[in-house]
Structure formats: C-alpha cells, structure tokens
Amino acid sequence: MVKAVQIQQFGGPEVMQIVDLPVGPVQAGQVRIRHHAVGVNYIDVYHRTGLYPNDLPLGLGMEAAGEVLEVGQGVEHLQVGDRVAYASGPIGSYTQERVMPAQNVCRLPKEISYESGAAMMLKGLTAQYLLKKCKPVEGLEPGDYVLFHAAAGGVGLIACQWAKLLGLQFIATAGSDEKCALALANGARYAINYRKDNFVERVREITGGKGVKVVYDSVGKDTWDGSLDCLQAFGLMVTFGNASGPVPAFAPALLAAKGSLYVTRQTLFAHTTSRERTQAMADDLFAVVASGAVKIHVEQRFTLDDVQQAHRQLEARQTIGSTILLP
C-alpha cells in the first residue's frame, strides 16, 4: 500500500484526500516507479474540477520523476534502477509509487535532478511542441515577434529561455512587475504587466504596428479577444489552456475580419502517441536543459499532505515557475 491523492467528486481543492492504495502487479509493457518528485500542473485543476471529465474515483497528476523498481515483459528501453521521468497518462502521479505504461517513460540524464525532472517534463515538452511544431503558415525565423501569455509560469519560463536560444523576439505578459522581471531575466525581450497596461496597445508599439506572428495563450477567456488583435495578417493563434475559463464560441468570419488568421488548439498528448516521438521530443528538451541554456525553476515545494494548498496557490496565480510535490 502507498499514499496517494484521490477525489471522490469534482470540486475545489478540498475534494482531494490522502488515501492508501495498492500499487498492483506489473503487466507486460509496464514499469513500476518509486516517485522522488511529482509535478503539479494546471491540467490537474481541470481534472479535479471536472472541466476535463473522467470517471470517479480519480487520482490526479500527469507528471513525475523517480526510479524504476520493476520492469514488465516486453519493455526494452528501461531497466531496474534507471532514473526516469514522464508526462503522460493514465492520470494518477500524485502518489509515492505506481505502475505505468512504459511507452512514454523516458530515462532521465544524470545531469538533471529528480526535482527538475518532475517539474520539466509536461511543461518542457509543451514548450517544445509550441515553439517547434506550432508555427505560422509563413514560418518562424530568428528576429520574428511572438507573444506568450503567463510567461512567468512553468511553461512560460522554459519558453522564454528556449525562444531566446532560437533567436525569437519574445514578448511576455504576466500579472505583476515581479513576474515581468522574472520573464525578462529568463530571456524575454519585452514584458508587459497586463494588470497595468493594455497588452494589445503595447504589442503594437513594440512591433511598430505590425503585430506578432504567433500568440501562445494558456489563459483562455480573458485574453482571447486581445490576443487576436495582436496578430499580423496570416498569424497563428495557439490556445493551449483555460486558466481564466474556456474560450467562448466565435464565428469563423471573425478570423477573416482580423487578418485571415489561423487558430489551433493542440495538446501535448497528441504529440506523444509513440515512444519514438516522445523520446525525440524529450531528447530535445534534455539537451537544452543539460547544456544550461534552459534552467528549470522549481519555486514551490509541498508535501503530498499539503496538496490542497498547492492547488489553492496555483489557481490564485500566486505561483512562479514550477510547483512540485515531494511524496
């Protein structure tokens, strides 16, 4: 039996309870992992509230790092004792140990700590597909302007650094001067405090009225209209989260009126449908982290017992960088 977080109903942080659960046997294609650190992400809130519905009772969490304790038949890329990290289903990483499908479990290089591994997989792989795979029809080249909302969060701080490495003119938004300063310190070329300034007007000033080629937006409802107004003709709107609520329905003609725009709503898990694809993305992420070009900011640490407080701070936008649980 191991300690785990489980919900019996959808709702606020108070529905998360600590329970004792059996780990279960390791079947073919699976591995058993002892977690050293567990990542906390906004998608966990969506699962907890039922915005992304799942059957109950439900564990939470999509990301962790730890040590392989047992390997099932047919698993060839992992061995007992390997340091590993993952960001994938099934949901339920908020636990001390678990059995996982081996497909999306990746070896963690020795240069990267368990805490960084748990904090970087979902966020780092998200930044990877955003910057490398979500490109406008006219492409992304060094010197191009992009806008990234919530840039002082876990995904945002990785994206700031990676975008600088790629030579992009990265415009960050955040909700405080402190968070803006953090984004600038991590490679953003410009930062806008959206609580003080109209980010649409500032983007137009920064780009000389032209607008940006891409907007990366995990905020959702509150920034949607303004984000479209920041795009240049044939620009790409990438929505990948709903921190302020889901984006409302809109008429496709709106995209024509605002400059023949493109819109995409992608998820990480569409990009990690095979071990080969997952490993290639992870290798790209591991390389920039191991080189020191991208640093992982673990700013909040909670015990498993304090998971409710971790979610309260996350939803209140009181966190900076990444948050982890230490089981």
Side-chain angles (χ1 to χ4, degrees):
M1 304 291 284
V2 297
K3 185 186 294 185
V5 173
Q6 189 180 79
I7 64 171
Q8 300 287 337
Q9 61 185 6
F10 299 118
E14 70 280 356
V15 302
M16 295 184 291
Q17 302 298 322
I18 303 298
V19 298
D20 291 324
L21 295 176
V23 177
V26 176
Q27 306 290 345
Q30 297 180 330
V31 292
R32 180 177 179 179
I33 303 171
R34 175 187 294 129
H35 289 158
H36 289 254
V38 175
V40 177
N41 298 282
Y42 219 95
I43 192 173
D44 306 342
V45 174
Y46 302 153
H47 291 148
R48 192 201 75 223
T49 61
L51 179 65
Y52 294 176
N54 291 276
D55 293 335
L56 297 169
L58 179 69
L60 294 176
M62 302 289 293
E63 174 184 47
E67 176 187 356
V68 175
L69 299 181
E70 188 177 350
V71 176
Q73 184 178 358
V75 178
E76 298 181 352
H77 69 290
L78 298 173
Q79 298 178 355
V80 172
D82 280 349
R83 305 172 74 254
V84 294
Y86 66 86
S88 68
I91 303 168
S93 65
Y94 289 10
T95 183
Q96 294 171 321
E97 291 184 16
R98 73 182 305 201
V99 172
M100 277 286 295
Q103 173 179 299
N104 291 331
V105 178
C106 300
R107 284 186 178 177
L108 186 66
K110 63 180 183 299
E111 298 88 357
I112 301 174
S113 70
Y114 285 123
E115 288 196 1
S116 292
M120 69 184 268
M121 289 297 286
L122 193 144
K123 303 172 190 69
L125 293 177
T126 297
Q128 198 275 349
Y129 88 72
L130 290 174
L131 294 173
K132 297 293 189 72
K133 301 177 187 297
C134 294
K135 295 185 178 182
V137 66
E138 296 181 339
L140 265 184
E141 303 293 338
D144 285 341
Y145 288 95
V146 303
L147 175 65
F148 202 105
H149 291 299
V155 177
L157 288 181
I158 294 173
C160 284
Q161 298 171 78
W162 211 332
K164 182 179 180 179
L165 195 63
L166 296 173
L168 300 175
Q169 296 274 14
F170 192 95
I171 305 172
T173 74
S176 70
D177 289 342
E178 177 190 15
K179 290 184 175 182
C180 285
L182 185 60
L184 291 169
N186 279 272
R189 183 68 178 85
Y190 306 93
I192 303 167
N193 182 343
Y194 61 77
R195 297 189 189 279
K196 288 183 174 181
D197 298 317
N198 182 311
F199 72 83
V200 179
E201 294 177 357
R202 287 286 294 119
V203 166
R204 290 293 171 180
E205 290 173 6
I206 290 167
T207 62
K210 187 177 181 181
V212 300
K213 274 193 170 182
V214 187
V215 176
Y216 298 107
D217 189 349
S218 63
V219 176
K221 177 175 63 69
D222 289 354
T223 49
W224 173 257
D225 291 335
S227 292
L228 294 181
D229 289 334
C230 289
L231 286 164
Q232 60 185 251
F234 308 112
L236 175 63
M237 175 67 185
V238 183
T239 172
F240 67 102
N242 313 287
S244 67
V247 172
F250 66 95
L254 179 68
L255 303 178
K258 291 184 178 294
S260 298
L261 305 179
Y262 292 79
V263 173
T264 185
R265 176 61 167 98
Q266 300 193 16
T267 68
L268 169 62
F269 308 112
H271 292 275
T272 56
T273 53
S274 71
R275 193 181 76 78
E276 291 75 20
R277 288 170 63 91
T278 303
Q279 192 65 57
M281 293 174 67
D283 287 344
D284 196 15
L285 173 62
F286 293 158
V288 294
V289 173
S291 73
V294 172
K295 294 178 171 58
I296 307 301
H297 293 268
V298 181
E299 301 295 341
Q300 294 83 214
R301 295 169 175 84
F302 296 88
T303 66
L304 208 60
D305 292 331
D306 291 329
V307 65
Q308 293 184 8
Q309 183 60 24
H311 272 227
R312 289 189 183 99
Q313 289 193 17
L314 184 66
E315 288 184 276
R317 302 188 195 182
Q318 294 174 348
T319 61
I320 293 174
S322 296
T323 299
I324 61 170
L325 304 174
L326 299 174

